[in-house]
Amino acid sequence: MLKCCVIGLGYIGLPTAAILAEAGHDVMGVDTNHEKICNLKQGIIPIKEPNLDILVRKMTSKGKLSVQSLPCKADIFIIAVPTPFLKDSKDIPKPDLSYLENAALSVSKFLEHGNTVIIESTIPVGTTKKISDLVIKESNLKFEDLNFAHCPERVLPGKILEELVQNNRVVGGLTKEAALIAKSFYETFCK
C-alpha cells in the first residue's frame, strides 16, 4: 500500500483520508486550521456526515490515519482545498486559487522523484499545469520527476462516504504516465 498525504481536511479531504486509510493506505491528513487538527486528535469530527466519525476514529485507532498541520513525505499527495468564488473588478466571479497555490507550495518541500500530486479541488482548465509549474519552481525537481493529475470530486453531502467509493471518477494527468498512475491509485478504493 501507499503512503498518502491529504492536504485539506474539509468536506472532501477528511472523508477521502478516511476512505484511503480503510483501503489500507497509510494516510497523513493535513490542515492549516490548528483548532481542527486538535479536535481531530481528540476524536472530535468537525463535519456532520453519516458514519464519518466512526470511520475516522476506527482508522486513527488502527494507526492508518494521522493528522497534523504540516505535510510530510509520501508517495501520493492529494490536494482537496476550497476554491471559493471571488468577483473581479468587473463583478465577474472567478475561483480563488490561493488555497490551492498555498497547498502546492507546502507540499513542494516534501516531494521526491516519482511522487504523484493529485488535485481534487474544483479548478478551471489549465490550473493543474499552472500548479505543476509552481511546484517545479519550488521543489528543485524537474517536471519529468513528478506526476501531476486532476480528479475532481463530485459528491453530495449526506452520502459522501458512499459516493467517494461508488461514483465514477474522471482522472486526467499532465502526462499519460501520470494519468495511469492516478487511475491505478483510484482503483485501490473506487468501485
Side-chain angles (χ1 to χ4, degrees):
M1 287 287 127
L2 298 167
K3 181 162 182 160
C4 304
C5 185
V6 178
I7 312 299
L9 297 177
Y11 283 93
I12 299 303
L14 183 58
T16 298
I19 291 288
L20 289 172
E22 185 179 44
H25 300 290
D26 292 315
V27 183
M28 177 59 69
V30 177
D31 202 285
T32 58
N33 183 321
H34 181 71
E35 182 180 349
K36 183 186 289 184
I37 293 297
C38 289
N39 285 339
L40 285 168
K41 285 182 177 182
Q42 295 174 31
I44 302 167
I45 310 304
I47 300 166
K48 295 202 184 306
E49 181 66 30
N51 300 315
L52 179 61
D53 55 343
I54 296 166
L55 183 59
V56 168
R57 287 186 195 111
K58 179 180 175 185
M59 293 300 105
T60 314
S61 69
K62 285 186 170 187
K64 297 301 286 178
L65 173 61
S66 301
V67 296
Q68 62 186 33
S69 57
L70 292 173
C72 60
K73 290 185 178 186
D75 303 304
I76 304 276
F77 293 83
I78 296 179
I79 301 177
V81 296
T83 51
F85 279 103
L86 300 174
K87 293 193 177 184
D88 66 14
S89 59
K90 297 178 183 175
D91 208 33
I92 298 171
K94 67 176 196 166
D96 176 2
L97 299 177
S98 64
Y99 297 104
L100 178 58
E101 291 164 352
N102 289 335
L105 287 172
S106 74
V107 303
S108 67
K109 298 172 182 75
F110 298 92
L111 292 170
E112 296 177 336
H113 185 276
N115 286 166
T116 300
V117 178
I118 302 171
I119 301 170
E120 284 206 0
S121 304
T122 303
I123 54 175
V125 172
T127 303
T128 304
K129 176 66 173 118
K130 289 178 187 174
I131 294 300
S132 76
D133 292 342
L134 177 67
V135 166
I136 295 302
K137 181 179 175 185
E138 293 296 317
S139 70
N140 295 319
L141 293 166
K142 297 176 186 167
F143 177 78
E144 52 272 8
D145 294 336
L146 300 168
N147 301 292
F148 293 92
H150 181 224
C151 182
E153 51 77 15
R154 305 175 334 187
V155 294
L156 294 172
K159 293 186 164 207
I160 293 175
L161 291 177
E162 176 186 334
E163 291 189 355
L164 282 173
V165 174
Q166 299 294 333
N167 284 0
N168 290 331
R169 295 291 188 115
V170 176
V171 179
L174 294 183
T175 64
K176 183 177 182 179
E177 182 181 1
L180 291 172
I181 288 169
K183 176 185 179 285
S184 176
F185 171 67
Y186 279 91
E187 287 174 340
T188 67
F189 66 96
C190 291
K191 296 182 177 156

